[in-house]
Amino acid sequence: MLIRLSQLFFRTLREDPVDAEVASHRLLVRAGYIRRAAPGIYTWLPLGLRVLAKVEQVVREEMTAAGAQEVHFPALLPKEPYEATGRWTEYGPNIFRLKDRRGGDYLLAPTHEEMFTLLVKDLYSSYKDLPLTLFQIQTKYRDEARPRAGLIRGREFIMKDAYSFDVDDAGLEASYQAQRDAYQRIFDRLGLEYVIVAATSGAMGGSRSEEFLTPTAIGEDTFVRSPGGYAANVEAVTTVVPDAIPFDDAPAAHVEDTPDTPTIDTLVAVANERFARPDRPWTAADTLKNVVLALVHPSGERELLVVGLPGDREVDLKRLEAAVAPSEVEAAGDADFAPHPELVRGYLGPGVLGPNVPVAEGAERVAIRYLLDPRVVPGTRWITGANEHGKHVFDLVAGRDFTADGTVEAAEVRAGDPAPDGSGPLELARGIEIGHIFALGRKYAQALGLTVLDQNGKAQVVTMGSYGVGVTRVLAALAEANNDERGLAWPAHVAPAHVVVVATGKDPAVFEAADALATELSARGVEVLYDDRPGKVSPGVKFADAELLGVPLVVVVGRGLAEGVVEVRPRVGGSTEQVPVTEAADHVSALVTSLLTA
Ligand code: ATP
Ligand code: MG
């Protein structure tokens, strides 16, 4: 392959795009790989397409090696299958919906479980047809609330999605493992660092699920690790629940005046000032904070929810959202409080919430749903709101003085918290989700009637798995992990070319020699970008572009030619070598081979 930059459709930019917050976004735009078409929607330029094709090819090869077969579905789909599984509603505002001329409802698919299930149902009917794993590399659409960081969170993006079909649980386990292994090979081959973490299944349903995260400070996901090998997305971390405490000899709850204490800090200060206890001072951990939130259900319906948790912890909205999926969570506003005068802001306590509200006989309970952090076990004693302005109640005992509608994993996870499996204190880090594998079980097959006849001629509901890699997000993650102040620096096997040959100056002999070298390299199977732009493009501009583009080897044919040498330098690390022009093709192709086999 030989691409002449004088002919190539590309334009590099010296200035960062104003909307770009992260390096990958900035550099992919500046180097002429992508252009923004609309928020979260990008156009691919020739160089970008080359990298994309290479990433896709690695994914395709490993899927095929794992026994999956490639198919390709449309992005534009009718709503009926998604209605059958409930996802037409569950996805709420996250789906792009549209109507055809007859008024029929369609969507741009956010993921394809339904269609794969129906396709297999269409064609297969016996246990002998299974196991089966199918995949596609295809465009997905999600109307993300916050498209962000260029390709990392787009509204149109490319996903590799694979689906496995098995008759029994053991089969699903094997199919899941085969995909999991393939993912490891994909990310190993791409040279992308990854951590496999336990995950929640969210709106997808199913039993077991793991995410592949690439660690980076710009990641939107927080994950935890313990010294003993536990790793999980923070949303999947379960709290280590303390034992219940006997409360037979606990003092009765008592309401106290605590003027001007609408916050935990002010409350703790006043408690220590006026109600000091002999053994140790009160801290935020002694208070029960009740946080009012609004759940937005997929139907659009809004429901208030109060989460009670120790006052030294904040509610982590993403954890709560995972717990209440597919509903979304928002802070409660004035309009939410208005119809509920019983919610005294700053002094809210369990008394007016959930099952603690007395119900008149025969009447229906209308109280706001109240969920507790799992640490609030029976027997724990709290200072909490007395539901009256300027008053708090002390020694309010969980299980004796109040209960809740249930518990919820909504409190933030902190460094040092114990791992749920007893493997030590957790440490927190950030990452980008690049892949996600789910053991779905029978949810989709059940909803859509995918059964096969077993050995005894009995219909069995098929059990499924679903496995996604964010292909365009992986490309951005690679750009994010491989750049410096001068530009991109692709690993050789995904770079748009292996070598950029730069001809500098105006001397026709230089251009002839550079052309000959580029042609020779290309004939040997090296992928070459040849910067043959005429002499009015200065060497400085050409060097800056070569570095910005991020091709692994830069070969400069210029003034040195008079002495019979060209300059060869790696894009990162290593130093410039002067190589005799007669040996340049051998030397460079050997370097390329070693980069590709490294
Ligand atoms: P996220 O939590 O980041 O929104 P998700 O859990 O909704 O992602 P999945 O449904 O698991 O995503 O999709 C499979 C893969 O597709 C993800 O692991 C991710 O790599 C990729 N992906 C998901 N949403 C986007 C997006 N908006 N832009 C780019 N890639 C995405
Ligand atoms: Mg996911």
Side-chain angles (χ1 to χ4, degrees):
M1 181 215 85
L2 172 54
I3 294 174
R4 291 169 203 278
L5 291 195
S6 64
Q7 308 298 311
L8 179 67
F9 182 60
F10 90 120
R11 186 71 75 230
T12 55
L13 310 175
R14 295 288 158 244
E15 300 291 318
D16 288 333
V18 286
D19 61 333
E21 321 132 60
V22 301
S24 57
H25 184 194
R26 228 167 37 230
L27 293 170
L28 289 168
V29 172
R30 277 190 45 205
Y33 285 71
I34 58 170
R35 295 293 294 170
R36 194 185 88 128
I41 304 181
Y42 291 86
T43 305
W44 291 83
L45 306 187
L47 291 175
L49 275 182
R50 289 191 55 82
V51 179
L52 182 59
K54 290 187 180 191
V55 174
E56 286 186 2
Q57 194 50 28
V58 170
V59 173
R60 180 174 284 116
E61 284 171 16
E62 292 303 336
M63 281 295 115
T64 309
Q69 298 175 60
E70 187 166 6
V71 296
H72 198 86
F73 276 91
L76 177 61
L77 296 171
K79 87 168 165 187
E80 286 72 19
Y82 289 81
E83 252 191 339
T85 58
R87 292 210 292 184
W88 176 258
T89 324
E90 274 174 17
Y91 264 104
N94 294 310
I95 319 190
F96 284 101
R97 298 160 203 266
L98 58 166
K99 284 198 187 293
D100 71 2
R101 63 171 73 206
R102 292 183 189 81
D105 283 310
Y106 284 76
L107 74 160
L108 295 175
T111 174
H112 278 72
E113 279 73 10
E114 285 80 353
M115 299 312 292
F116 276 81
T117 308
L118 288 173
L119 181 68
V120 174
K121 179 185 173 182
D122 239 5
L123 297 175
Y124 276 5
S125 56
S126 162
Y127 74 96
K128 290 182 202 149
D129 296 324
L130 306 183
L132 172 72
T133 299
L134 300 174
F135 80 100
Q136 65 175 345
I137 297 176
Q138 190 261 2
T139 307
K140 299 281 184 274
Y141 295 86
R142 295 183 186 178
D143 194 1
E144 298 276 359
R146 287 169 289 277
R148 192 186 151 262
L151 300 176
I152 289 175
R153 183 169 298 284
R155 296 196 299 164
E156 180 188 273
F157 60 96
I158 296 174
M159 196 200 288
K160 181 289 298 176
D161 43 331
Y163 305 86
S164 66
F165 301 86
D166 284 277
V167 205
D168 53 27
D169 295 349
L172 170 57
E173 180 52 36
S175 300
Y176 182 94
Q177 196 58 45
Q179 284 289 315
R180 193 178 191 273
D181 293 345
Y183 276 42
Q184 294 189 252
R185 285 194 298 269
I186 289 168
F187 299 127
D188 285 343
R189 276 180 67 181
L190 291 172
L192 197 54
E193 192 194 339
Y194 63 90
V195 185
I196 305 176
V197 304
T200 53
S201 301
M204 202 65 94
S207 52
R208 174 173 179 206
S209 125
E210 289 170 296
E211 283 170 359
F212 288 70
L213 302 180
T214 187
T216 157
I218 64 131
E220 278 183 88
D221 282 275
T222 306
F223 66 99
V224 299
R225 279 191 275 205
S226 77
Y230 174 81
N233 190 305
V234 85
E235 293 158 32
V237 174
T238 50
T239 303
V240 176
V241 181
D243 292 335
I245 304 166
F247 50 76
D248 295 343
D249 57 353
H254 46 107
V255 174
E256 303 291 352
D257 281 322
T258 53
D260 301 320
T261 55
T263 63
I264 298 293
D265 286 351
T266 51
L267 173 60
V268 169
V270 166
N272 282 317
E273 219 165 88
R274 296 188 165 199
F275 309 100
R277 55 180 173 183
D279 48 342
R280 63 205 155 90
W282 299 107
T283 69
D286 297 307
T287 69
L288 179 69
K289 171 161 71 178
N290 296 292
V291 181
V292 186
L293 295 150
L295 296 186
V296 184
H297 298 303
S299 60
E301 190 207 335
R302 202 172 165 91
E303 182 201 345
L304 286 194
L305 169 74
V306 176
V307 173
L309 73 169
D312 62 334
R313 300 218 176 221
E314 299 300 329
V315 170
D316 177 334
L317 289 181
K318 285 185 77 181
R319 264 169 63 74
L320 177 56
E321 215 151 57
V324 300
S327 302
E328 292 179 355
V329 182
E330 288 178 6
D334 291 342
D336 294 306
F337 281 95
H340 292 285
E342 77 275 22
L343 302 181
V344 183
R345 289 204 228 185
Y347 302 92
L348 178 56
V352 296
L353 302 169
N356 306 302
V357 180
V359 190
E361 202 156 328
E364 214 184 298
R365 185 186 303 279
V366 287
I368 294 169
R369 188 139 65 105
Y370 185 43
L371 297 175
L372 285 171
D373 181 72
R375 293 172 189 83
V376 187
V377 292
T380 50
R381 291 185 213 177
W382 303 96
I383 305 177
T384 190
N387 304 305
E388 251 183 275
H389 202 83
K391 290 184 194 295
H392 280 88
V393 56
F394 285 61
D395 291 315
L396 197 74
V397 175
R400 179 190 74 180
D401 301 325
F402 69 101
T403 56
D405 296 300
T407 59
V408 67
E409 291 288 356
E412 63 181 324
V413 175
R414 291 195 306 226
D417 284 350
D421 63 354
S423 60
L426 297 175
E427 127 202 323
L428 273 71
R430 296 184 78 80
I432 299 175
E433 180 188 325
I434 47 176
H436 198 165
I437 54 179
F438 296 91
L440 289 175
R442 296 184 170 80
K443 169 178 164 173
Y444 292 88
Q446 188 84 58
L448 296 164
L450 170 60
T451 60
V452 290
L453 296 180
D454 66 13
Q455 280 111 313
N456 308 314
K458 229 180 115 229
Q460 298 288 355
V461 177
V462 168
T463 181
M464 294 171 52
S466 119
Y467 316 94
V469 170
V471 173
T472 42
R473 185 181 280 185
V474 162
L475 184 151
L478 281 165
E480 202 62 49
N482 297 284
N483 71 74
D484 58 21
E485 65 295 338
R486 289 167 297 151
L488 295 161
W490 297 107
H493 42 283
V494 296
H498 305 137
V499 180
V500 53
V501 175
V502 180
T504 62
K506 293 189 172 143
D507 182 354
V510 164
F511 281 77
E512 258 167 49
D515 197 309
L517 177 59
T519 308
E520 171 62 20
L521 286 169
S522 164
R524 296 179 184 211
V526 175
E527 297 177 1
V528 186
L529 292 184
Y530 170 30
D531 194 346
D532 63 338
R533 288 177 293 176
K536 66 177 191 285
V537 179
S538 76
V541 166
K542 290 186 171 184
F543 296 149
D545 279 350
E547 311 239 87
L548 180 58
L549 293 182
V551 171
L553 287 174
V554 183
V555 178
V556 181
V557 185
R559 276 201 297 261
L561 191 66
E563 283 86 56
V565 294
V566 300
E567 258 178 34
V568 179
R569 57 170 181 254
R571 168 65 182 80
V572 279
S575 50
T576 304
E577 288 177 277
Q578 309 285 337
V579 178
V581 66
T582 48
E583 290 164 27
D586 282 343
H587 184 81
V588 172
S589 50
L591 281 177
V592 169
T593 307
S594 72
L595 282 175
L596 289 173
T597 49

